[in-house]
């Protein structure tokens, strides 16, 4: 067992549009901006009680940390319940139940009045502001976003840790073929370097987020997220413009994902085991002895 090497993500109180573009967007470097939400009503209003009052009667899909197996669709929820009841669990005890990629425009449109799109040089896709909720101790499997957007991630009510890896680190992370995540068997908090030796070569960027913080995650960056206590976040996204990234995005959405779902339906766990075992051997042979 061991610990993945990390360096801290740069933190700033505030930043100008020019500095953000030149120092972070153009160089594709992450940065945490502490006061980007200082003029948002959400900064003072958003907490779990507020969300319960706004949308507690909604029935929401919930996900957990259990690996998907066989013919299971990895995008399928494990259960549903009223949002009010789920948030009561978050307030009371640790849980691995999470709400994932919940579209505010469709589900909680009143909340849009509490935010504004920062003028920092990103052209946001305003049709898709999404929320995420997690209980204390819940984790989000290391992954990168399939649409390869630049992300601005805002956290509220509590604390969470974020571990990022740039795209060039993908070769060390045991990426599952035809997916955008790594092996679900890997414990990123205490990785088994004997079984996954390539992880010793990985170097992540680490930060802890508090209420109101904003984290810029460049296109294609892997993110592993852990809720240190119950809370929720919102992500604003800027779709890729470069032709190479656009072609990869369309390939992910219209080839990779349908192909993976089809193979799972046909072959089930045999397909999962085949592709993961093949990737393990290839990765360990390539990086395990360097």
């Amino acid at each position: 067992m061991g610990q993945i090497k990390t360096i801290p993500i740069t933190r700033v109180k505030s930043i100008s549009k020019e500095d953000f573009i030149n120092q972070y967007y153009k160089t594709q470097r992450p940065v945490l901006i502490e006061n980007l939400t200082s003029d948002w009503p959400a900064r003072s209003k958003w907490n779990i009680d507020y969300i319960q009052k706004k949308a507690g009667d909604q029935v929401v899909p919930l996900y957990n940390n259990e690996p998907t197996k066989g013919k299971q669709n990895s995008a399928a929820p494990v259960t549903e319940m009223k949002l009010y009841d789920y948030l009561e669990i978050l307030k009371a005890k640790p849980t691995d139940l999470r709400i994932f990629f919940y579209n505010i425009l469709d589900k909680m449109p009143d909340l849009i009045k509490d935010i504004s799109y920062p003028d920092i040089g990103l052209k946001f896709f305003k049709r898709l502001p999404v929320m995420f909720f997690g209980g204390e101790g819940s984790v989000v499997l290391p992954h990168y976003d399939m649409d390869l957007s630049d992300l601005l991630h805002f956290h509220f009510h509590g604390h969470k840790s974020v571990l990022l890896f740039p795209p060039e680190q993908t070769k060390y992370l045991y990426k599952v073929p035809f997916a955008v995540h790594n092996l679900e068997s890997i414990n990123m908090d205490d990785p088994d370097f004997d079984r996954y030796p390539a992880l010793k070569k990985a170097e992540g960027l680490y930060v802890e987020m508090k209420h109101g913080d904003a984290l810029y995650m460049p296109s294609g960056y892997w993110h592993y997220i852990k809720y240190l206590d119950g809370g929720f976040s919102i992500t604003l996204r800027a779709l890729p413009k470069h032709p190479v990234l656009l072609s990869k995005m369309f390939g992910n959405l219209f080839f990779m994902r349908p192909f993976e779902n089809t193979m799972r339906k046909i072959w089930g766990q045999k397909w999962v085991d085949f592709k993961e075992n093949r990737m393990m051997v290839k990765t360990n042979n390539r990086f395990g002895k360097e």
Side-chain angles (χ1 to χ4, degrees), residues 11-56:
R11 303 180 71 103
V12 298
K13 293 291 184 182
S14 59
I15 193 167
S16 68
K17 178 178 179 179
E18 181 181 10
D19 285 346
F20 175 77
I21 292 173
N22 290 330
Q23 297 177 27
Y24 299 102
Y25 178 62
K26 287 184 176 179
T27 60
Q28 291 289 276
R29 292 172 53 217
V31 61
L32 185 136
I33 310 167
E34 295 183 352
N35 293 328
L36 199 59
T37 60
S38 59
D39 61 347
W40 284 18
R43 181 121 178 185
S44 60
K45 293 165 65 175
W46 280 16
N47 56 42
I48 288 179
D49 291 336
Y50 181 75
I51 301 297
Q52 283 179 311
K53 291 175 184 177
K54 284 288 185 180

Side-chain angles (χ1 to χ4, degrees), residues 227-244:
Y227 289 84
L228 305 179
D229 38 42
F232 59 96
S233 305
I234 176 174
T235 294
L236 307 180
R237 59 206 317 107
L239 297 178
K241 297 178 182 179
H242 194 282
V244 173

Side-chain angles (χ1 to χ4, degrees), residues 50-236:
Y50 181 75
I51 301 297
Q52 283 179 311
K53 291 175 184 177
K54 284 288 185 180
D57 287 338
Q58 290 189 21
V59 175
V60 296
L62 298 173
Y63 301 81
N64 64 13
N65 297 338
E66 291 295 320
T68 55
K69 296 181 179 179
K71 298 183 179 182
Q72 285 181 295
N73 187 325
S74 59
V78 295
T79 188
E80 294 181 339
M81 70 173 66
K82 281 191 174 183
L83 179 60
Y84 183 94
D85 297 332
Y86 167 67
L87 294 178
E88 283 295 295
I89 295 174
L90 255 61
K91 291 191 287 187
K93 60 183 179 181
T95 177
D96 68 347
L97 292 174
R98 295 179 289 108
I99 299 176
F100 178 76
F101 217 82
Y102 210 61
N103 189 327
I104 314 175
L105 284 179
D106 294 339
K107 306 298 184 181
M108 306 180 195
D110 279 355
L111 295 184
I112 294 298
K113 302 172 186 176
D114 295 336
I115 72 169
S116 59
Y117 289 86
D119 182 20
I120 59 171
L122 294 175
K123 188 174 181 181
F124 294 106
F125 181 50
K126 296 184 178 180
R127 182 62 190 88
L128 203 60
V130 290
M131 295 189 79
F132 305 83
F133 293 75
E136 179 185 344
S138 64
V139 299
V140 181
L141 183 69
H143 70 285
Y144 61 92
D145 279 30
M146 193 171 290
D147 64 7
L148 299 175
S149 292
D150 285 278
L151 307 176
L152 205 53
H153 187 69
F154 303 82
H155 189 61
F156 296 93
H157 195 104
H159 302 79
K160 71 195 304 182
S161 65
V162 181
L163 179 61
L164 301 181
F165 297 92
E168 57 267 25
Q169 296 267 310
T170 298
K171 58 190 176 183
Y172 305 130
L173 299 179
Y174 294 88
K175 175 188 175 297
V176 173
F178 305 104
V180 292
H181 59 82
N182 75 347
L183 286 170
E184 296 180 70
S185 56
I186 295 175
N187 178 357
M188 294 296 286
D189 296 315
D190 187 21
D192 185 343
F193 287 150
D194 290 333
R195 187 174 183 187
Y196 309 109
L199 285 175
K200 290 188 290 186
K201 303 179 184 299
E203 184 172 87
L205 299 101
Y206 180 84
V207 74
E208 291 188 8
M209 302 184 69
K210 64 182 187 302
H211 179 87
D213 283 349
L215 177 62
Y216 169 58
M217 295 189 278
S219 172
Y221 264 64
W222 289 73
H223 33 287
Y224 169 64
I225 294 172
K226 185 174 182 178
Y227 289 84
L228 305 179
D229 38 42
F232 59 96
S233 305
I234 176 174
T235 294
L236 307 180

Side-chain angles (χ1 to χ4, degrees), residues 264-288:
R264 273 184 176 260
K265 287 179 182 178
I266 296 173
W267 297 105
Q269 193 62 37
K270 289 182 179 179
W271 165 248
V272 176
D273 291 342
F274 167 76
K275 65 174 185 167
E276 291 187 358
N277 289 338
R278 186 176 180 184
M279 178 273 293
M280 275 278 291
V281 171
K282 183 178 178 180
T283 302
N284 285 346
N285 284 344
R286 184 177 181 187
F287 297 109

